[in-house]
Amino acid sequence: MNIKTSHIVKTYKQKKVLHLDGQYGELFFESGQIHGIIGPNGSGKTTLMKIMAGLIAPSSGTVRYNDHPLCQDIFSQMTYSTHTPTLFSRSVYENIAYPLKIRNYEKDRLNQTVSQLLEEFDISEIKNQNARRLSGGESQKTALARALSFSPQVLFLDEPTANIDPKSIQLIETALKKRNQDQGLTIIIITHNLSQAFRICTHLTFLDQGSCLFSDTPEKIMTSTHPTIDEFISFNRF
């Protein structure tokens, strides 16, 4: 699913926290790609993602999905996950199965799908544990497995690998790249890990103080002469 934002502005308490104009007044997130949104804390990354995901409305500007406005059918094809996921006070298995149950998956297909995800994310041994009692890494893997369970067209991820161990990071990145390559899943990910952005992303958008300073390939950001981008890369060099 292609997503295009046009002149997005978001104001909180009379303060503009996002104002996309000028050269990057329109941003295009191409279908079937992995798009990274990077930049300093407080730059508007999460606000932009929530607007694109239909979770909050912009103060002005528009978002189009395959050149259509947001509707329930489009909304149902997208999913959003963060590094502090909200999980149900039920088993890990039931959390992952929930999106399939509300979509009326046949029982055998549901069980097969959940079992495959449990194995893929290395959480089969905790499938009966209450999801509210998991470690941070286990919670994030459970939340991502739940987000992927119904094969969405667009996956929004807000720092999905923050504060987890390298093995889990590798597992999550492998799962994301596999679905992008095999299913054409469009992924939009916020990350502070520049190395991760270069490992998995095909396109990067750089925000600072609510404005967009760059939107192009990872290779081209390395040749940027903008002082804010140069400083960010220097401090986060991998």
Side-chain angles (χ1 to χ4, degrees), residues 54-66:
L55 300 178
I56 61 175
S59 301
S60 62
T62 61
V63 184
R64 305 280 290 185
Y65 308 83
N66 287 342

Side-chain angles (χ1 to χ4, degrees), residues 160-221:
T161 59
N163 305 314
I164 63 175
D165 63 275
K167 182 180 178 182
S168 294
I169 291 174
Q170 183 180 31
L171 187 153
I172 287 173
E173 290 182 0
T174 298
L176 295 178
K177 288 189 290 185
K178 176 177 172 58
R179 281 163 177 79
N180 172 255
Q181 293 166 2
D182 295 351
Q183 302 173 15
L185 174 63
T186 303
I187 300 169
I188 302 174
I189 179 172
I190 293 172
T191 179
H192 283 100
N193 185 331
L194 201 58
S195 178
Q196 179 177 72
F198 275 78
R199 282 196 302 271
I200 69 172
C201 295
T202 53
H203 192 283
L204 293 178
T205 296
F206 188 99
L207 300 185
D208 180 57
Q209 298 182 31
S211 294
C212 182
L213 304 183
F214 174 91
S215 191
D216 211 315
T217 64
E219 292 75 20
K220 287 187 178 180
I221 200 172

Side-chain angles (χ1 to χ4, degrees), residues 46 72 106 157 184:
T46 296
Q72 184 56 43
E106 187 269 334
L157 298 173

Side-chain angles (χ1 to χ4, degrees), residues 41-149:
N41 289 331
S43 58
K45 301 184 296 296
T46 296
T47 299
L48 174 59
M49 178 174 281
K50 285 185 174 180
I51 288 172
M52 288 195 293
L55 300 178
I56 61 175
S59 301
S60 62
T62 61
V63 184
R64 305 280 290 185
Y65 308 83
N66 287 342
D67 206 30
H68 296 284
L70 184 65
C71 63
Q72 184 56 43
D73 182 56
I74 291 171
F75 189 74
S76 68
Q77 297 173 47
M78 304 188 300
T79 190
Y80 184 101
S81 186
T82 78
H83 63 287
T84 54
T86 301
L87 298 172
F88 304 123
S89 185
R90 299 178 183 177
S91 71
V92 168
Y93 186 99
E94 289 175 297
N95 269 269
I96 298 172
Y98 179 76
L100 307 179
K101 287 183 178 180
I102 64 174
R103 288 170 172 81
N104 297 314
Y105 271 51
E106 187 269 334
K107 185 176 180 180
D108 287 344
R109 183 185 176 197
L110 182 151
N111 289 334
Q112 181 181 23
T113 300
V114 176
S115 295
Q116 288 173 345
L117 286 164
L118 288 166
E119 182 176 353
E120 179 180 8
F121 284 92
D122 195 25
I123 49 177
S124 294
E125 292 184 0
I126 60 168
K127 68 179 182 179
N128 295 319
Q129 288 188 31
N130 189 307
R132 293 273 183 89
R133 299 173 184 170
L134 301 178
S135 69
E138 291 168 343
S139 293
Q140 284 165 260
K141 288 190 286 186
T142 299
L144 184 55
R146 181 176 67 183
L148 291 170
S149 63

